[in-house]
Amino acid sequence: MKFSEVIGQNEAKQRLMQLVQEQRIPHALMFCGPEGSGKKALALAFASYLLGEREAGETAGSRFPENAEAMLRHLEHPDLYFSFPVIRPAGTSSEHKMESDDFGREWRELMRKSPYFTMEQWMVCMNAANQQAEIGVGESHALLKKLSLKASQGGFKVSIIWLPERMNQECANKLLKLLEEPPAQTIFIMVCEEPEKLLETIRSRVQRINIKRLNNEEIKHALVSQRALDEETAQRIARIADGSWTKALGELDASNENLVFFEMFKQMMRLAWGRKIQEMKEWSETAATYGREKQKRMLTYFQKMVRENFMYNFRQAELIYMSQDEEQFASKFARFINEGNVMEIDRQFAEAQREIGQNANPRIVFFDLSLQMIVLLIQK
């Protein structure tokens, strides 16, 4: 992937190029920023540049093999390594230490389509159900073995670690030793969304580069040039995306799960207002059929909808970040979300999300949540 294929982030691109030009490349970098800002794409572009990929008209130089760009296009360069969270599929022996290579084919297929994807999309690609994805000690063992070898192409070895905050404790401790005594000619690039969850000793050994949210104009331009949208539609989607290219892509997907979440949100609020207890129980049974990761995503969406409906009451278009269907629903529903209940409704959703993450019974969690909505919506 080339720098020109990364949406926006010109400031970060210039900083990385300057490190190369001044020959001040640190052995470990950490790209930190929100989901959808392009951290993974930027990491891949930087790794590709270090390994010999160049823009049209640029020369790669004699130190790079002639087929370097072809290998990078197919993500098959022998000196480029990926580490990422994986699940333990049903039936896998407990003796086997899971590592990224166990899902290497699925990873490369998804990355070849586009490095702009979410953790949720990666979970779907792995056919995850209720499993939690993590980077375990098996990965640190595999990485140590790979990086101890000499670079096959004679240049750098580049290790991209996606979401290092999902490392378990044993893996994190072993990675720390690698960072303290890095193998020769090895560059680590971590792509992180929650750096506070990493060991402080790891954070202190990397050079952090903060990746900003994309601005609306950058997203709009990409939608027009890459997706052939008209200016007006692109502008609306760019505002809803709130700096995230993955959210912008999600808005284009007619089967996007937010449509399901939107229907579930409408049903819950209508049933709660009508005090239809039996139907609410059925609603809870439906919600309980989703995997835990999907349930948590749905509750996050519910929180967003509550905030947006509250803001809708101020009647200021620049404060509203909803789709046309969501805004149409808000025109009738928003008056039920006010200063007296907005904080408590948000808290109830957050509490339900915490309980789901702690493996509470989802039928009980969602039924109790819907009952709480009866009480809170009365306070209009």
Side-chain angles (χ1 to χ4, degrees):
M1 186 172 195
K2 300 176 182 178
F3 280 119
S4 60
E5 298 175 85
V6 178
I7 299 169
Q9 305 302 349
N10 291 329
E11 183 179 334
K13 293 175 188 176
Q14 291 171 6
R15 182 176 176 184
L16 292 171
M17 290 298 295
Q18 186 175 1
L19 290 175
V20 175
Q21 291 165 4
E22 297 176 357
Q23 298 184 349
R24 296 188 297 107
I25 307 170
H27 77 278
L29 291 155
M30 184 164 70
F31 297 173
C32 298
E35 181 184 284
S37 55
K39 305 179 298 299
K40 192 162 3 74
L42 191 62
L44 181 58
F46 186 49
S48 297
Y49 188 85
L50 292 175
L51 295 173
E53 188 167 51
R54 293 293 184 265
E55 300 288 348
E58 290 183 327
T59 176
S62 59
R63 69 188 184 91
F64 298 113
E66 292 182 3
N67 61 343
E69 292 194 352
M71 291 189 293
L72 288 165
R73 272 197 305 274
H74 294 92
L75 300 182
E76 293 175 351
H77 196 290
D79 297 323
L80 176 61
Y81 307 103
F82 294 101
S83 298
F84 42 84
V86 297
I87 61 169
R88 178 177 293 278
T92 305
S93 168
S94 59
E95 297 296 317
H96 176 66
K97 303 296 184 184
M98 298 299 298
E99 56 185 80
S100 297
D101 283 349
D102 291 320
F103 286 92
R105 179 179 59 80
E106 292 85 351
W107 173 264
R108 282 174 172 77
E109 285 179 358
L110 194 58
M111 284 286 282
R112 284 173 192 143
K113 291 178 182 176
S114 171
Y116 290 91
F117 58 84
T118 65
M119 184 63 197
E120 290 73 26
Q121 290 169 316
W122 173 231
M123 293 291 280
V124 170
C125 195
M126 290 190 291
N127 294 316
N130 291 331
Q131 301 102 315
Q132 300 287 332
E134 69 169 15
I135 303 176
V137 68
E139 181 61 23
S140 58
H141 290 158
L143 198 56
L144 177 61
K145 183 178 179 180
K146 293 172 184 175
L147 297 178
S148 65
L149 301 174
K150 185 178 179 180
S152 68
Q153 305 299 310
F156 288 113
K157 294 171 288 183
V158 183
S159 170
I160 296 178
I161 304 175
W162 183 48
L163 302 183
E165 60 266 40
R166 285 184 176 248
M167 290 187 294
N168 64 23
Q169 189 67 37
E170 192 175 1
C171 179
N173 288 332
K174 290 186 178 297
L175 178 64
L176 176 60
K177 292 181 180 179
L178 266 177
L179 294 176
E180 289 174 336
E181 300 178 10
Q185 291 293 95
T186 298
I187 306 296
F188 293 93
I189 307 175
M190 299 185 188
V191 180
C192 188
E193 289 176 5
E194 299 176 286
E196 67 279 359
K197 292 185 177 180
L198 276 171
L199 295 176
E200 172 59 35
T201 43
I202 289 180
R203 298 203 303 268
S204 67
R205 284 166 173 77
V206 302
Q207 181 170 321
R208 175 169 173 168
I209 295 181
N210 290 322
I211 309 301
K212 301 176 182 178
R213 291 182 182 276
L214 298 171
N215 62 48
N216 288 358
E217 194 57 35
E218 289 169 336
I219 294 178
K220 175 186 171 183
H221 176 74
L223 288 170
V224 172
S225 61
Q226 297 183 20
R227 303 288 166 158
L229 295 188
D230 61 84
E231 295 272 341
E232 183 179 350
T233 302
Q235 180 64 36
R236 186 179 184 91
I237 291 177
R239 291 191 71 253
I240 295 172
D242 191 27
S244 169
W245 179 243
T246 54
K247 284 185 181 179
L249 295 179
E251 289 296 321
L252 294 178
D253 186 359
S255 62
N256 131 40
E257 69 178 6
N258 278 357
L259 297 177
V260 176
F261 295 163
F262 179 44
E263 289 302 316
M264 291 293 283
F265 180 80
K266 288 192 296 183
Q267 287 178 28
M268 181 177 66
M269 293 305 176
R270 286 168 175 167
L271 293 174
W273 178 250
R275 298 167 178 77
K276 297 181 179 180
I277 304 299
Q278 182 57 42
E279 287 89 338
M280 288 165 61
K281 185 174 183 298
E282 294 171 1
W283 178 90
S284 304
E285 293 286 340
T286 299
T289 63
Y290 301 159
R292 292 191 182 274
E293 291 293 335
K294 185 173 181 178
Q295 289 166 354
K296 290 191 287 186
R297 295 196 301 273
M298 183 171 70
L299 289 164
T300 297
Y301 175 83
F302 286 3
Q303 289 176 292
K304 170 185 175 291
M305 285 300 294
V306 168
R307 289 193 294 270
E308 292 298 332
N309 275 267
F310 179 68
M311 297 306 296
Y312 185 88
N313 292 312
F314 293 94
R315 306 292 177 178
Q316 295 185 37
E318 67 274 12
L319 299 178
I320 300 171
Y321 294 86
M322 291 187 282
S323 67
Q324 289 180 329
D325 289 341
E326 290 169 345
E327 196 170 330
Q328 185 176 0
F329 175 71
S331 67
K332 298 178 181 179
F333 175 71
R335 62 193 178 93
F336 295 99
I337 305 296
N338 53 67
E339 293 89 344
N341 62 14
V342 61
M343 296 298 291
E344 182 59 20
I345 292 177
D346 185 79
R347 192 192 71 78
Q348 288 290 336
F349 288 145
E351 178 67 12
Q353 191 176 55
R354 184 185 65 80
E355 291 172 350
I356 292 296
Q358 294 176 343
N359 294 323
N361 187 317
R363 289 177 176 82
I364 296 174
V365 172
F366 283 108
F367 187 52
D368 179 68
L369 179 64
S370 60
L371 292 176
Q372 293 294 333
M373 291 303 111
I374 294 178
V375 178
L376 292 167
L377 290 180
I378 291 174
Q379 302 176 18
K380 74 180 187 68

